[in-house]
C-alpha cells in the first residue's frame, strides 16, 4: 500500500510540476515538487525508499523535460538516498529540522544537477546562488506543509468518523 501511495504522490507531483510550468518567480523555479516528494519519501521510508523514489521521479521528470535523460534522475537518486540516510541517523520530526533538511536536499540536488551540466559543458547557470536559495526556501516550505498535512489528515478523518458514529447511535 505504501508503494502505491509513493507512486501516486510522484505522479501527482510530476503532473502538477508539468502543468504549472515549474512554479516560477521572475524566471526562477521556486518549488520542485518531485524533489519534495522524493525527500518526503526518503525521510518517512528510509534510504532505499528515497533511492527508488528519486530514480523514478527523476527519470520521469527528465523524460518530460528538454534536458538530457538521466541528469535529474541521477541527482534525485543521490539526494533521495542521502536524505533517507540522514533521516535514519538524526531525529527529523520538528518543523525547523524538516525545513532545513528540505533546503539542504535542494542545495545538494542543485550542486549535483548544475555541476553535472557544467562539468560536461552543456549548460551554464548565470546566477545559481539566488536560484538555489529561492528554490530551497520554496521546497522547505512545501515539504513542511506536506508533513503537516500528512499528520493532520488522518486525525481529521478519524474525528469525522467518530462524530458520525456518535450521531448514528443517538
Amino acid at each position: 500500500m505504501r508503494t502505491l501511495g509513493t507512486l501516486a504522490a510522484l505522479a501527482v507531483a510530476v503532473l502538477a510540476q508539468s502543468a504549472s510550468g515549474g512554479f516560477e518567480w521572475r524566471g526562477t523555479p521556486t518549488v520542485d515538487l518531485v524533489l519534495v516528494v522524493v525527500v518526503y519519501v526518503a525521510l518517512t521510508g528510509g534510504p532505499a525508499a528515497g533511492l527508488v523514489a528519486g530514480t523514478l521521479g527523476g527519470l520521469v521528470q527528465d523524460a518530460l523535460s528538454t534536458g538530457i535523460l538521466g541528469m535529474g534522475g541521477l541527482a534525485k537518486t543521490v539526494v533521495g538516498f542521502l536524505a533517507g540516510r540522514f533521516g535514519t541517523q538524526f531525529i527529523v520530526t520538528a518543523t525547523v529540522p524538516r525545513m532545513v533538511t528540505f533546503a539542504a536536499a535542494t542545495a545538494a540536488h542543485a550542486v549535483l544537477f548544475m555541476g553535472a551540466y557544467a562539468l560536461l559543458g552543456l549548460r551554464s547557470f548565470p546566477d545559481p546562488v539566488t536560484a538555489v536559495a529561492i528554490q530551497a526556501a520554496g521546497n522547505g516550505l512545501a515539504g513542511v506543509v506536506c508533513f503537516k498535512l500528512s499528520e493532520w489528515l488522518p486525525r481529521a478523518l478519524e474525528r469525522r468518523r467518530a462524530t458520525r458514529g456518535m450521531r448514528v447511535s443517538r
Side-chain angles (χ1 to χ4, degrees), residues 42-43 46-47 81-92:
L43 290 176
F81 177 79
L82 292 176
R85 194 75 181 137
F86 181 80
T88 60
Q89 297 297 317
F90 299 100
I91 299 171
V92 188

Side-chain angles (χ1 to χ4, degrees), residues 71-166:
M71 291 289 218
L74 178 62
K76 282 181 178 57
T77 300
V78 172
V79 168
F81 177 79
L82 292 176
R85 194 75 181 137
F86 181 80
T88 60
Q89 297 297 317
F90 299 100
I91 299 171
V92 188
T93 57
T95 301
V96 173
R98 285 178 178 166
M99 185 175 275
V100 170
T101 302
F102 277 96
T106 302
H109 179 267
V111 166
L112 292 168
F113 183 78
M114 291 178 186
Y117 268 106
L119 191 66
L120 295 172
L122 299 173
R123 196 165 151 193
S124 64
F125 299 92
D127 189 15
V129 175
T130 304
V132 172
I134 289 171
Q135 192 173 52
N139 285 355
L141 182 63
V144 168
V145 168
C146 285
F147 265 107
K148 290 295 182 186
L149 282 175
S150 70
E151 293 166 353
W152 173 80
L153 190 61
R155 287 183 288 197
L157 292 173
E158 185 61 35
R159 281 193 303 270
R160 181 179 167 137
R161 275 189 230 123
T163 57
R164 188 182 305 166
M166 290 173 67

Side-chain angles (χ1 to χ4, degrees), residues 41-56:
V41 168
L43 290 176
T44 58
L51 185 134
V52 172
T55 302
L56 291 175

